[in-house]
C-alpha cells in the first residue's frame, strides 16, 4: 500500500526558509508519477504549490515560483519542498501527494496526512 | 485564466440526492477529479475520469462531465458525507494544476 508522510519543522521564522520532506513507502519515486505539494491555509481551500516528475522535471504555481524548489532524493525514496522568504501568509497545512494522468483524467490518489507549518517569530 | 468555479455551500436532506458542480475551461482537456475533505483530515479522492471510484469509495458517489462543467452526485446522502468537496484538474496549456474553491456540503 502506498503511503506518504510529511516531516519538517512546525515553526519557521519570517524571512526564513520552510523545508519539508515527504517519505514515500509502497512505491518508488522513480515511477511515472507527479510527486506533488499542496497547501491549505487555516480555514481556506487547497492550493497547488508544485510538482516534480521522476525525471526531475518540475512545474510550479506561478504565484510561488520565485520562492519554491521541489527536489527528488531517490536514494531515500523521498522528495522535498523548500519555500524561501516566508511570511505569515505561508502558514498552512502542507500535504504531499502522488498524482498522475489516467483515463484522460488528472488525479491525486494518495495523500500524506499533512503537517502544519506556522510562520511566526 | 485557469480557474475552477464551485458553489461555496450546498445542503441536502439525509437520504436525498445532491449534485455539486465545477466549471472551468481546463475540464475540456482532462476529466476533473473530486476530492473529499473532512475537518482535520487529509483529502481523499472520491471520483476521477468519466466516472471512476477508487477502491473503498461507496457507489452512491458518481461523476459526470458535460463541456466545461463537471458534476459530483451523491445518491442517498449519508451523515458521514458531510464534508468539503474540491474539484481538481490540470491545464494542458500551462501544465499547472488547479483546485476549485471547494463546496461545503451539509447533510440535514
Amino acid at each position: 500500500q502506498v503511503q506518504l508522510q510529511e516531516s519538517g519543522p512546525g515553526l519557521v521564522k519570517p524571512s526564513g526558509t520552510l523545508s519539508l520532506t515527504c517519505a514515500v513507502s509502497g512505491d518508488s519515486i522513480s515511477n511515472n508519477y507527479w510527486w506533488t505539494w499542496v497547501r491549505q491555509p487555516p480555514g481556506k481551500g487547497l492550493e497547488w504549490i508544485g510538482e516534480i516528475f521522476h525525471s526531475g522535471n518540475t512545474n510550479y504555481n506561478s504565484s510561488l515560483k520565485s520562492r519554491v524548489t521541489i527536489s527528488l532524493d531517490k536514494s531515500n525514496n523521498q522528495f522535498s519542498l523548500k519555500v524561501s522568504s516566508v511570511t505569515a501568509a505561508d502558514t498552512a497545512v502542507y500535504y504531499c501527494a502522488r498524482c498522475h494522468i489516467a483515463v484522460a483524467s488528472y488525479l491525486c490518489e494518495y495523500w500524506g496526512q499533512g503537517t502544519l507549518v506556522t510562520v511566526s517569530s | 485564466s485557469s480557474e475552477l468555479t464551485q458553489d461555496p455551500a450546498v445542503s441536502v436532506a439525509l437520504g436525498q440526492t445532491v449534485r455539486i458542480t465545477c466549471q472551468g475551461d481546463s475540464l475540456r482537456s482532462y476529466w476533473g477529479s473530486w476530492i473529499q475533505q473532512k475537518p482535520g483530515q487529509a483529502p481523499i479522492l472520491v471520483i476521477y475520469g468519466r466516472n471512476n471510484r477508487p477502491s473503498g469509495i461507496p457507489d452512491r458517489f458518481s461523476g459526470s462531465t458535460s463541456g466545461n462543467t463537471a458534476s459530483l452526485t451523491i445518491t442517498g446522502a449519508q451523515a458521514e458525507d458531510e464534508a468539503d468537496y474540491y474539484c481538481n484538474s490540470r491545464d494542458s496549456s500551462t501544465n499547472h494544476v488547479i483546485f476549485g474553491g471547494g463546496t461545503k456540503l451539509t447533510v440535514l
Side-chain angles (χ1 to χ4, degrees):
Chain A
Q1 182 177 354
V2 179
Q3 292 184 317
L4 293 88
Q5 180 66 58
E6 306 89 351
S7 62
L11 181 64
V12 181
K13 287 183 166 45
S15 78
T17 296
L18 178 161
S19 297
L20 295 175
T21 296
C22 180
V24 179
S25 59
D27 196 3
S28 168
I29 62 169
S30 295
N31 287 341
N32 197 19
Y33 295 104
W34 289 102
W35 303 98
T36 300
W37 288 97
V38 174
R39 71 182 184 180
Q40 185 171 37
K44 296 188 178 180
L46 300 172
E47 178 184 31
W48 178 71
I49 299 171
E51 63 189 7
I52 187 165
F53 203 51
H54 67 90
S55 61
N57 288 348
T58 54
N59 291 305
Y60 299 127
N61 187 320
S62 299
S63 67
L64 299 168
K65 186 174 182 177
S66 63
R67 298 193 294 125
V68 169
T69 302
I70 298 176
S71 59
L72 291 173
D73 179 358
K74 292 187 177 182
S75 61
N76 290 303
N77 208 44
Q78 60 188 27
F79 62 107
S80 299
L81 169 71
K82 291 187 186 297
V83 182
S84 63
S85 304
V86 297
T87 69
D90 295 306
T91 294
V93 175
Y94 285 75
Y95 295 100
C96 57
R98 191 193 85 172
C99 307
H100 67 292
I101 295 170
V103 292
S105 175
Y106 176 80
L107 62 144
C108 298
E109 189 170 9
Y110 294 100
W111 295 73
Q113 283 303 300
T115 186
L116 174 64
V117 179
T118 301
V119 178
S120 175
S121 55
Chain B
S1 64
S2 300
E3 293 181 349
L4 294 174
T5 301
Q6 298 182 238
D7 290 329
V10 171
S11 61
V12 61
L14 184 67
Q16 296 303 300
T17 296
V18 62
R19 176 178 291 181
I20 298 170
T21 61
C22 171
Q23 191 169 25
D25 287 341
S26 64
L27 297 173
R28 298 184 187 278
S29 302
Y30 294 110
W31 298 105
S33 59
W34 288 94
I35 292 165
Q36 177 194 70
Q37 188 181 35
K38 297 179 180 179
Q41 297 186 18
I44 296 173
L45 179 69
V46 294
I47 288 288
Y48 66 96
R50 182 184 293 270
N51 183 17
N52 301 96
R53 282 175 289 106
S55 174
I57 301 302
D59 61 6
R60 63 179 179 272
F61 288 88
S62 63
S64 63
T65 298
S66 177
N68 72 340
T69 301
S71 299
L72 171 71
T73 299
I74 307 173
T75 304
Q78 302 299 302
E80 61 264 32
D81 300 333
E82 188 163 286
D84 293 326
Y85 290 87
Y86 296 90
C87 61
N88 178 215
S89 186
R90 187 180 186 91
D91 187 315
S92 61
S93 61
T94 63
N95 264 332
H96 285 185
V97 174
I98 315 156
F99 289 95
T103 297
K104 182 177 180 60
L105 175 66
T106 300
V107 179
L108 304 171

